[in-house]
Amino acid sequence: MQTLHVAFDDTDSRTGRCTTHLAFKVVEHLKKEEGAKLVDYPLLIRLNPNIPWKTRGNGAVCLRLQVQDAGRVIDHIRQAVEEGSAIGSGANPGVAFLQSDSVPAELQKFSALAMCDVLSRQMAEKVAKAAGVQYSTFGNGQGLVGSLGALGCLLDGDHTYELIAYRKPENCGLPRVVDKERVIKFSADTYPNTFNNYDRNHGRVLITPHGADPVFFGVRGESPEVVASALPALQPLEEELDGWTIFRSNQGTNMHLQNEIRVAGAKAYTAGHVKCRVSGKPYAIEGGHVIFTVEQDDGAEMPAAVYEPTGLAKVAIKLEAGDLIEIGVGVRKGTTKHPKILNVEYLSVLELAPAFDVLNPVCKMCGKRMKSEGRNKGYQCDRCKHRDVNAKKIFVPREREIKTGLYIPTPKAHRHLTKPLQRYGIEKSS
């Protein structure tokens, strides 16, 4: 038996197809017809979610196999990717093959960068050749970047699992019918070992997509056993499923936010975390979004944005200048009208600065609060007309309306990689 690592990406488009479904079909064929054995669960690797040309979740798939005839398997998968991709509708697939018992360090480094940076196809081709990776591309071949990103991701630290159930071709495009009450019960019964099944804040089922792709539902959790329990619990009554696969994944791990960003040199579309102080009072704009400026220890500043759908705007508006925070961010590209901005994905308040209410001084004669007579002109009391040119404003300490701690978005606003609150403290180390 030969060890073969296979990865592919960008087989879908916004109008249909699905990279994980193609993996399901490929594995089904290889096990039945080629006697192939999986040496790991199929890997579903989510890459930098800020890439503007991504389709949906920016996910690539990697299969680590033991095969009898690597050449024959490579030919089949290459053909399956070409025929199973939405190339005419905007897909630009790449498929990569590595015959090796180990994954080269340069591939692992490339994968780490693919989680948080913008990488070119030319860079991917250079790394592939250096690592001994065979590859094929279609369309403009941008999918090679994601393929290598998945190929080099060992998931030897924190990871989760997802069971994805697929529809038969004749049902794709029809409404998905799920029992909301069964989803709520399943979510409660498996808490905290599954996540993002249902958003109680908005009464919204989260396990079903909305497009014409073949996914019926996906359930994410901490172990293969707990996600597999979704099949009997949530099996649809209205349609027969085509099959299912359990993937090991970096979803729900914040893997894209591990990189520390220095705002002085922040590059558009990158992701990471920023430790900084709030340097300007947050303010709300149309739509309920909140903008504030942050400053790092080198004096570099950049605006940050918290969007209303995340549910974090109510927290961000209560920040004050001087607060020490850490934010997980994606860097939005600047335009001729607007500078680059940090789009906030989570907010951790590390230290609260003292806050004060600023009041006019009290009249020494009658105790009524005085009114300013103009800048540097002192104050006068309306009641007794006493004037005091030396009086100063009074700063009264005010209790803060927020506390130190971690604030994350409401579940419906989570990206695939967003770590849910319930996962903090139960991350896997291997």
Side-chain angles (χ1 to χ4, degrees):
M1 298 289 279
Q2 301 167 284
T3 301
L4 178 66
H5 309 259
V6 182
F8 45 88
D9 182 35
D10 202 9
T11 69
D12 58 342
S13 75
R14 298 185 186 279
T15 59
R17 304 292 179 99
C18 174
T19 302
T20 70
H21 184 253
L22 181 58
F24 160 66
K25 289 297 187 183
V26 166
V27 169
E28 189 176 50
H29 170 85
L30 293 180
K31 290 174 74 173
K32 289 181 179 178
E33 305 299 329
E34 302 293 341
K37 297 180 180 179
L38 286 163
V39 298
D40 192 357
Y41 284 86
L43 303 182
L44 170 54
I45 306 300
R46 299 289 180 180
L47 307 168
N48 184 356
N50 301 298
I51 301 299
W53 48 85
K54 69 178 182 180
T55 51
R56 296 198 291 270
N58 204 19
V61 166
C62 176
L63 308 174
R64 306 200 191 277
L65 306 162
Q66 289 282 319
V67 299
Q68 294 284 359
D69 187 340
R72 180 181 169 93
V73 169
I74 287 171
D75 288 341
H76 171 78
I77 294 176
R78 185 183 288 116
Q79 182 178 353
V81 169
E82 182 175 11
E83 294 177 355
S85 301
I87 297 172
S89 302
N92 296 288
V95 56
F97 307 94
L98 174 67
Q99 296 184 61
S100 174
D101 290 332
S102 61
V103 178
E106 57 263 47
L107 265 183
Q108 296 182 49
K109 183 178 179 181
F110 183 91
S111 175
L113 286 174
M115 301 300 159
C116 61
D117 208 340
V118 184
L119 307 178
S120 67
R121 173 183 169 175
Q122 291 73 25
M123 181 179 178
E125 290 176 339
K126 183 178 179 180
V127 170
K129 291 172 183 175
V133 174
Q134 302 176 56
Y135 63 88
S136 296
T137 60
F138 308 92
N140 69 21
Q142 188 61 34
L144 179 61
V145 173
S147 298
L148 295 189
L151 201 65
C153 187
L154 302 182
L155 282 186
D156 51 0
D158 192 21
H159 58 273
T160 59
Y161 294 84
E162 180 173 12
L163 179 140
I164 303 180
Y166 299 103
R167 319 182 80 179
K168 290 185 176 295
E170 60 268 23
N171 292 323
C172 293
L174 298 177
R176 296 168 175 85
V177 180
V178 294
D179 188 324
K180 181 177 176 179
E181 295 305 316
R182 289 170 69 194
V183 174
I184 293 172
K185 183 178 186 305
F186 174 79
S187 187
D189 289 347
T190 57
Y191 182 87
N193 294 312
T194 65
F195 57 92
N196 289 0
N197 302 310
Y198 182 74
D199 185 351
R200 288 190 174 275
N201 295 331
H202 300 89
R204 180 174 169 181
V205 172
L206 302 176
I207 63 172
T208 53
H210 303 288
D213 58 90
V215 174
F216 184 81
F217 68 69
V219 171
R220 299 164 194 165
E222 299 299 325
S223 70
E225 293 79 12
V226 74
V227 297
S229 70
L231 282 171
L234 303 176
Q235 188 89 303
L237 304 177
E238 289 76 11
E239 66 177 89
E240 182 183 356
L241 295 175
D242 195 32
W244 52 273
T245 297
I246 293 176
F247 293 88
R248 200 161 70 89
S249 181
N250 62 344
Q251 295 174 137
T253 65
N254 274 359
M255 185 177 279
H256 64 310
L257 301 177
Q258 304 308 304
N259 172 55
E260 183 176 4
I261 290 179
R262 302 298 299 179
V263 300
K267 189 168 73 172
Y269 307 131
T270 55
H273 64 272
V274 178
K275 189 175 181 180
C276 52
R277 288 195 183 272
V278 179
S279 60
K281 176 65 180 171
Y283 60 92
I285 62 174
E286 185 178 356
H289 315 305
V290 172
I291 308 294
F292 58 97
T293 303
V294 300
E295 180 181 9
Q296 287 191 302
D297 51 14
D298 59 1
E301 291 188 327
M302 186 177 286
V306 176
Y307 298 104
E308 189 279 334
T310 65
L312 296 178
K314 295 176 182 177
V315 177
I317 198 67
K318 297 174 183 177
L319 293 170
E320 298 279 355
D323 288 345
L324 180 65
I325 61 174
E326 181 184 285
I327 46 179
V329 301
V331 182
R332 193 178 74 188
K333 184 180 179 181
T335 66
T336 54
K337 294 184 178 181
H338 302 286
K340 282 186 293 189
I341 195 166
L342 303 171
N343 288 344
V344 175
E345 294 192 32
Y346 73 77
L347 169 63
S348 180
V349 180
L350 305 176
E351 179 185 291
L352 290 170
F356 302 90
D357 289 325
V358 183
L359 305 175
N360 285 347
V362 173
C363 176
K364 296 178 181 178
M365 305 302 292
C366 69
K368 181 177 172 61
R369 202 164 295 282
M370 305 171 80
K371 288 188 177 180
S372 173
E373 294 211 289
R375 188 171 183 178
N376 298 323
K377 293 182 179 180
Y379 294 82
Q380 183 175 28
C381 177
D382 278 351
R383 178 186 292 170
C384 69
K385 304 305 180 186
H386 172 69
R387 294 182 71 249
D388 186 344
V389 296
N390 296 317
K392 304 293 183 184
K393 286 190 178 292
I394 302 170
F395 292 84
V396 180
R398 170 167 47 86
E399 186 176 350
R400 297 297 301 273
E401 296 181 33
I402 58 173
K403 299 182 183 298
T404 56
L406 175 69
Y407 299 88
I408 69 170
T410 188
K412 77 165 186 175
H414 283 195
R415 292 175 139 176
H416 291 94
L417 283 163
T418 301
K419 186 190 295 187
L421 193 59
Q422 70 204 65
R423 293 210 70 244
Y424 283 83
I426 62 170
E427 299 91 342
K428 302 173 185 67
S429 58
S430 63

